[in-house]
Amino acid sequence: MTQARGQGTEPGGDERDRAATVRVFIALAPPDEAKDELERVLSPAYDAYPRMRWNRIEDWHITLAFLGELPVATVPLLGPPLADLAASRGPVELALRGGGHFDERVLWSGIDGDLDGLHRLATDVRTVVKECGVPFEDRPLRPHLTLARARRDDESSVLDVAAGLAGFTGRPWRAERLHLVGSNFGRGPGPIRYRDIEAWTFGGR
């Protein structure tokens, strides 16, 4: 609930609140070879549609559970059970395939391969999060790799690039690690940046 001006507020309070939280998700990341392959296919679109807000290639990921804004002190609670989960599982065999869009604004590449295994992993990840007492919006998993976002005055770029990706079939690859990721989304005018808070190799290797 919004407080009235001057009632219980302090200068810089919003900044301290943001510093005390981090936006968190749990994800898989394609290996460099798979990202390079898709980057080559997208290269003409980078030149043709420079006004699109292209995600950095090093930030490409497949979200398994989006947890939203969490208190910084809560994040370490997720580490041990996620590490145990990763140690108990083998790598997931996946591939990048095709493309599409959400609401004509968000461009993505599709995911192929062991989708049953991917869904089972996402279910187990979300169970761990719930058992840690972390509230989040448990939406159905729609496996994808977000590539770019269109600006509000651009109604065609995403549709055109998605159509160009329709025939793309990437090489199979193994998702070897589970990543706990933090982002600065919504914290400024610049592009989104992601960083690994922690990551664990599947099978404990």
Side-chain angles (χ1 to χ4, degrees):
M1 184 171 61
T2 303
Q3 290 179 308
R5 190 182 300 271
Q7 294 183 1
T9 61
E10 299 179 14
D14 289 344
E15 287 77 8
R16 283 196 294 273
D17 289 345
R18 286 195 294 270
T21 64
V22 60
R23 188 160 292 192
V24 175
F25 58 89
I26 301 164
L28 303 177
D32 289 343
E33 296 81 4
K35 292 189 289 188
D36 290 345
E37 188 177 32
L38 180 55
E39 181 187 17
R40 287 193 293 271
V41 173
L42 286 172
S43 182
Y46 291 149
D47 295 333
Y49 303 101
R51 293 189 65 249
M52 288 179 63
R53 297 169 56 201
W54 293 97
N55 285 7
R56 298 191 311 168
I57 295 164
E58 56 266 41
D59 289 336
W60 285 353
H61 64 271
I62 303 165
T63 300
L64 302 177
F66 180 74
L67 310 187
E69 204 79 19
L70 297 183
V72 169
T74 297
V75 177
L77 301 177
L78 296 165
L82 287 175
D84 289 344
L85 174 61
S88 71
R89 308 292 288 264
V92 184
E93 301 277 351
L94 301 171
L96 302 177
R97 182 173 182 177
H101 59 85
F102 297 132
D103 299 327
E104 302 182 359
R105 293 286 311 283
V106 178
L107 174 71
W108 49 261
S109 174
I111 308 300
D112 202 0
D114 183 9
L115 297 183
D116 288 341
L118 182 63
H119 279 270
R120 287 194 297 271
L121 175 61
T123 296
D124 290 346
V125 162
R126 295 174 187 210
T127 297
V128 164
V129 173
K130 293 172 185 176
E131 289 175 347
C132 288
V134 176
F136 71 103
E137 190 172 355
D138 192 0
R139 296 180 176 179
L141 180 68
R142 299 177 65 182
H144 67 280
L145 191 77
T146 299
L147 303 174
R149 290 168 174 79
R151 299 185 185 275
R152 295 191 180 278
D153 59 350
D154 181 359
E155 298 180 353
S156 63
S157 295
V158 164
L159 300 181
D160 292 344
V161 181
L165 284 175
F168 170 69
T169 301
R171 72 185 70 183
W173 47 271
R174 289 156 60 97
E176 300 277 1
R177 307 183 81 197
L178 184 66
H179 299 259
L180 180 65
V181 186
S183 83
N184 69 344
F185 183 87
R187 296 176 183 270
I192 301 170
R193 294 289 184 264
Y194 303 106
R195 63 178 179 84
D196 268 7
I197 297 171
E198 205 164 349
W200 306 272
T201 302
F202 288 116
R205 293 181 292 105

